[in-house]
Amino acid sequence: MSTQELAPAPDGSPAPVDVEQAEAALVEHYPRLVRIAYLVLPPSLGRNRRVLTAHALAQRSLPRRRTSLAAGAIPGARRAEDAVDPGYAYVRGEVLRQALVAGLPLRRRALPRRAQFPPLLPQVWGLRLFPRAGGADELALDQRLSALSGPGRAAYVLRGLERQGDPEVLRVLAAAGVEDPEAALAEADGVEAPGGFGGAVLLESAEFDPCSLQARPTDLMRRRQHGKAALAAAAAVVVCGTLLGPPGDGWGRNGAAAPSYARNPAAEAALDPDALKRVDAAGWRLSSRTDFSVWPARGDLTGDTALLRRALAVWARPGPTVRTSATPGTPPGPPMGSPQLLFAGRVDAAHVVLFFDGLRVVRYAEPAGSTKGAALDFARTDGADAVGSAALVVSRAAGNVRYVTAPWVREAAVRDLLLPDKEPRVLTRDAYGVTEPIPSPATAPGCTRWSVLQVRDETGTRLLSDLGELAPARLTSGPPGRPADVTGAAEREEWARVACQLAVVRSHGVRTVNSWAYASQRLPEGAGRAQWLCARAETWRGTGSRVLALFRAPGATGPAASAARSDGSPACGPREPRVLAGAVWQAKSGQWYVLAAGTEDFASLALTGGVEERAEGRLLAVKAAPGSRAELTGTLRDGTRVRALR
């Protein structure tokens, strides 16, 4: 099932692009750019090399200096708010150009191009990486794409994944250096998405996601044969390191921290473990606030001064061996004064420390008994309320996650969103509020279950989902102006159809996700009633929200299908509590239909392009030929014309 929309008309005007603007677009849309490169690269490279090459091409797509987009490299717009980001258009064009070059065979008398060689970076030693396996439909689509030429695959990806119309596809292909864009487009026309789904839905599946990977070992016998050489090289490194000696004060009490670069008194005071802020165990009961600022310092290592000193030093100066991560929009800089200690203790096989500086929660972890392999994670949590500060991820190991809960949480339980009628299982917690391990949906392959944390305090029960970050996201249900916690059977049934779509907002800095069943539509040929839903993910940073429009056919037992997705749109939110989306659907008779539904404030809907139709009210269903493409718009009761979510 996929949306059928036409891209806006072009005007061909070039747009200047700064390096900073292109870098921002690369960081914001990195998973999508890598997916485009992976799909365009020839499958003959093998999945491991395709994954690494796709990442390398995306990372090499920045301009060296301020540049301009060639006319036709980016589609123009009818309105200012519809304009494509020039930075994203430039980076996407570079990714396409390099991916097409990488698919060209090496010739004797022609100088080879950099993209035709295996990438120098990134590199993974001892493992083969490949995306998670999809279903039979994804495998069939991959086989059909492998039969296309590179330009043909690029045309199919631009049309399906980027949802561009044919004129825009021709212009982008020409700008990427394709000699015959029309032939590539005709080649893409011959690919029919299997299983009755639209190509966009399959292209967005985990089968083609090179950012969500599985790992297997390489040739173990060959590695054993090279063991002696590796040992000799390691011995040489040890000897050289001993002769050179440690820099400065050595690798003493600061562990994996880099050498000090300043002796500023204020900066030194912020790294003093004795100056850490500690809240009394009963302080939250007397405070007017209920957030991270009133969490008491808990854990069996809150008195380990050496551990706290190492954690603060690594926070201020992470060395090259420290694995650092930060949610989007979170500054990973040193502490702004003495932070507050939330937790310090042994969890699984690691020593974990949690700090809070008023803006961020910072997690430091090191293997028990060693400072090697230290990790540092940052998550923005400013403005958290009692629910937003109810729990933090304290450990992830073997596909499981442990939480440390707030002192006001009376009960913690685990619930599977995909089984709405099953009762939750109460979790055991130790004296410091750390839960037993539960399966993490952030790292689990596929979507066979979605385990969420259910917390209960004196005001009610809430659901929190791990999305791969320190702070779990709160799940709600209902209209944007009146979202409520998921407590009733109807809300749990609704989330059972939406849960698997949470995978598209993993590691996105999400604070809350609200699901709203905004329309119900009677399908043609007496097929029953379909349900339209929208899910909106709000972020801690305030920008970068993600909106999904979902369609659930009657009788379907699996998750709702994605009909449209938009980043940064106010739709389906409190500022714009409306949404309009469309999808294609095939009846049992074999007839295809274009379906559309909007919220109650739509007076009429219209299709233009490959399908022409107008319907009064907020629902539309019209017959269509296979492969038809149309643009969906709606008119509000006040006469305002609104485009469908895209």
Side-chain angles (χ1 to χ4, degrees), residues 204-263:
E204 291 178 350
S205 67
E207 173 79 18
F208 306 112
D209 184 6
C211 292
S212 180
L213 301 171
Q214 291 180 319
R216 293 293 184 273
T218 55
D219 190 337
L220 299 179
M221 294 301 297
R222 180 177 297 179
R223 288 164 55 182
R224 182 176 298 175
Q225 293 171 359
H226 291 79
K228 292 184 179 181
L231 288 175
V237 170
V238 171
V239 172
C240 293
T242 304
L243 294 176
L244 293 174
D249 294 333
W251 294 294
R253 60 180 186 173
N254 289 340
S260 298
Y261 52 84
R263 294 294 182 184

Side-chain angles (χ1 to χ4, degrees), residues 333-358:
M336 301 172 290
S338 298
Q340 176 186 346
L341 177 63
L342 303 181
F343 178 87
R346 298 178 181 88
V347 184
D348 296 324
H351 293 165
V352 179
V353 183
L354 293 174
F355 298 110
F356 176 63
D357 67 354

Side-chain angles (χ1 to χ4, degrees), residues 144-298:
R144 295 176 187 179
L145 292 179
S146 65
L148 301 182
S149 64
R153 287 190 297 272
Y156 189 86
V157 170
L158 289 173
R159 176 187 282 172
L161 189 63
E162 294 291 275
R163 292 173 171 83
Q164 291 188 337
D166 291 352
E168 286 75 18
V169 173
L170 293 174
R171 269 183 285 274
V172 174
L173 290 178
V178 176
E179 295 181 357
D180 193 350
E182 293 184 355
L185 196 60
E187 194 177 355
D189 286 335
V191 177
E192 182 178 352
F197 291 92
V201 175
L202 297 179
L203 291 177
E204 291 178 350
S205 67
E207 173 79 18
F208 306 112
D209 184 6
C211 292
S212 180
L213 301 171
Q214 291 180 319
R216 293 293 184 273
T218 55
D219 190 337
L220 299 179
M221 294 301 297
R222 180 177 297 179
R223 288 164 55 182
R224 182 176 298 175
Q225 293 171 359
H226 291 79
K228 292 184 179 181
L231 288 175
V237 170
V238 171
V239 172
C240 293
T242 304
L243 294 176
L244 293 174
D249 294 333
W251 294 294
R253 60 180 186 173
N254 289 340
S260 298
Y261 52 84
R263 294 294 182 184
N264 181 275
E268 290 291 327
L271 304 182
D272 184 2
D274 295 329
L276 286 171
K277 299 175 184 177
R278 300 171 186 250
V279 177
D280 294 336
W284 65 273
R285 301 180 182 272
L286 307 176
S287 175
S288 60
R289 301 177 57 177
T290 309
D291 54 22
F292 290 117
S293 66
V294 295
W295 270 40
R298 291 175 292 172

Side-chain angles (χ1 to χ4, degrees), residues 393-471:
V393 171
V394 71
S395 171
R396 283 195 182 87
N400 296 322
V401 60
R402 289 180 186 263
Y403 297 94
V404 55
T405 56
W408 53 84
V409 172
R410 297 181 177 181
E411 181 184 82
V414 59
R415 177 185 286 278
D416 188 350
L417 280 183
L418 302 186
L419 300 175
D421 297 329
K422 185 178 180 180
E423 290 297 318
R425 178 175 63 85
V426 176
L427 296 174
T428 59
R429 294 183 291 167
D430 63 16
Y432 308 114
V434 177
T435 69
E436 63 179 282
I438 65 175
S440 172
T443 57
C447 188
T448 57
R449 64 180 174 184
W450 199 280
S451 301
V452 296
L453 179 68
Q454 179 174 292
V455 295
R456 180 176 61 85
D457 58 21
E458 61 182 6
T459 62
T461 301
R462 281 93 182 190
L463 294 185
L464 306 173
S465 178
D466 177 26
L467 295 180
E469 298 166 336
L470 291 180

